[in-house]
Amino acid sequence: MEGLVLLNALATRLLFVLHSLVGVWRVTAVKKEPWYWLLALLNLLLFLETALTLKFKRGRGYKWFSPAIFLYLISIVPSLWLLEMHHETQAKVFVNNLSTVCEKVWTLGLHQTFLLMLIIGRWLLPIGSGITRDQLSQLLLMFVGTAADILEFTSETLEEENVRNSPALVYSILVIWTWSMLQFPLDLAVQNVVCPVSMTTRGFSSRFFCQYSADLWNIGISIFIQDGPFLVVRLILMTYFEVINQMLVFFAAKNFLVVVLQFYRLVVLALDVRASLRSRPERRKGEHGCPDVPGASGVSPGAWPGSSMEALAIPLQALRVASDDSHPVA
């Protein structure tokens, strides 16, 4: 079992390195500058992380965060940035047009395989002590839907001519795209924190953030990392740059609905915590509201009014005398 863990850890990181090298090769081929091969040096960080993980963790993952996924992002994202920024005006020659089509196909293929590698790589990486198989499956299903939305976001926005004519807008879209990638190394959206009793009795905020930590992370990622920024960019494209098409309107409406539903869920969770805090004093009052039941108020039987241990002993003595009289000595 230990050997299989080490094999998965090494094989997954090797796939990350190979895919990163393919991206560097495409940048070098498109730019026609050999010094772009220096981007491959970013993989040294992944080699260092591999050595440290094998030495101290025996190949297993970390809690809350995946350094291998994060370093893979560092090694491949600069290459994708350079490929997207490579937009040159060419003459209407068949060879040049064919070259442009091939470049677009390669860039789109790298985007697609990049997202697939994130999902498959997270699946193959050995899990740590902070996440279970059930939580990992939930995380992978979330990543599949997230990856589809991210791919649609980059493909539909960067293919517009009005967008390509504005370098500042292209940079902004790539910044939002890079920002959305930061959710992949995180495992916080599926890991629930066990709340101690001291946290649940402090007040609303302590109990709210402790009891629903995974849900709050999921809501925060959706609003501030993915759907919220994607909605802002799509609205700017439709209003300021007048880029309107059927798919852009559909996904803008989808992002708007997701943001509204996440705020709705946030309100529902807050109301649930507030209701539980209000019901706690009522339960305590109900526990102390029955003074006629012995022991309910914490009073010992010896302290009952009008009672004494001597009174309890009288029937026993009478019973013993009666039993002696019923058996006379012959």
Side-chain angles (χ1 to χ4, degrees):
M1 187 65 181
E2 195 70 23
L4 183 60
V5 171
L6 296 176
L7 179 61
N8 287 339
L10 290 174
T12 305
R13 288 168 172 83
L14 180 61
L15 289 176
F16 289 164
V17 172
L18 292 177
H19 189 261
S20 175
L21 292 177
V22 171
V24 176
W25 166 70
R26 282 308 304 168
V27 172
T28 307
V30 169
K31 295 290 188 179
K32 296 179 175 58
E33 292 288 344
W35 63 270
Y36 281 104
W37 279 107
L38 295 176
L39 291 172
L41 295 178
L42 293 174
N43 290 301
L44 294 178
L45 297 174
L46 191 57
F47 284 121
L48 179 61
E49 184 272 339
T50 303
L52 294 176
T53 302
L54 294 178
K55 181 177 180 180
F56 296 105
K57 302 286 292 184
R58 300 297 181 183
R60 296 198 173 273
Y62 296 83
K63 189 177 182 180
W64 313 113
F65 184 75
S66 176
I69 298 291
F70 180 71
L71 294 177
Y72 171 56
L73 293 177
I74 292 178
S75 63
I76 187 64
V77 166
S79 299
L80 293 174
W81 265 68
L82 292 172
L83 290 174
E84 291 292 351
M85 292 304 299
H86 180 71
H87 184 70
E88 299 175 352
T89 56
Q90 297 177 347
K92 294 183 178 181
V93 182
F94 176 74
V95 177
N96 289 336
N97 288 337
L98 182 61
S99 176
T100 303
V101 171
C102 290
E103 291 176 7
K104 292 181 178 179
V105 171
W106 268 102
T107 304
L108 179 60
L110 283 175
H111 274 285
Q112 294 171 343
T113 53
F114 169 50
L115 293 170
L116 291 176
M117 287 293 297
L118 287 173
I119 299 172
I120 297 175
R122 190 65 189 88
W123 189 9
L124 294 178
L125 282 173
I127 61 176
S129 58
I131 186 172
T132 63
R133 291 290 180 184
D134 179 45
Q135 292 173 341
L136 178 62
S137 63
Q138 296 178 25
L139 187 67
L140 294 175
L141 290 173
M142 291 171 54
F143 283 173
V144 171
T146 299
D149 195 13
I150 292 175
L151 182 62
E152 182 64 31
F153 172 74
T154 54
S155 60
E156 76 175 8
T157 54
L158 294 176
E159 287 181 357
E160 296 292 336
E161 184 178 357
N162 294 340
V163 175
R164 285 294 182 180
N165 293 333
S166 175
L169 184 57
V170 174
Y171 279 116
S172 301
I173 292 174
L174 291 177
V175 167
I176 297 298
W177 170 76
T178 306
W179 173 248
S180 67
M181 289 297 170
L182 296 179
Q183 61 186 301
F184 287 97
L186 301 175
D187 301 336
L188 298 169
V190 295
Q191 296 194 27
N192 292 309
V193 178
V194 179
C195 296
V197 179
S198 60
M199 292 293 292
T200 58
T201 57
R202 287 183 181 178
F204 173 80
S205 59
S206 299
R207 181 166 184 171
F208 182 61
F209 288 105
C210 185
Q211 183 175 350
Y212 295 109
S213 59
D215 297 278
L216 293 177
W217 273 108
N218 194 7
I219 293 172
I221 287 173
S222 176
I223 295 177
F224 298 107
I225 295 184
Q226 184 174 340
D227 290 286
F230 287 5
L231 176 63
V232 172
V233 171
R234 283 167 172 149
L235 290 178
I236 292 175
L237 288 177
M238 290 188 296
T239 56
Y240 185 77
F241 292 93
E242 298 181 353
V243 178
I244 300 176
N245 55 61
Q246 185 177 3
M247 296 302 296
L248 185 62
V249 173
F250 171 77
F251 279 99
K254 177 256 183 187
N255 293 139
F256 176 76
L257 286 176
V258 170
V259 171
V260 172
L261 290 175
Q262 293 290 6
F263 277 113
Y264 172 74
R265 176 162 176 76
L266 186 64
V267 173
V268 169
L269 295 179
L271 292 177
D272 181 64
V273 173
R274 188 172 296 275
S276 63
L277 290 176
R278 288 178 179 177
S279 63
R280 188 194 306 168
E282 296 178 359
R283 288 197 302 266
R284 291 181 178 178
K285 184 178 180 180
E287 291 174 357
H288 298 283
C290 301
D292 296 336
V293 179
S297 59
V299 181
S300 62
W304 294 344
S307 66
S308 64
M309 298 303 294
E310 296 178 357
L312 294 175
I314 293 174
L316 296 177
Q317 294 177 358
L319 180 62
R320 184 169 52 191
V321 172
S323 61
D324 292 340
D325 294 340
S326 62
H327 297 282
V329 179

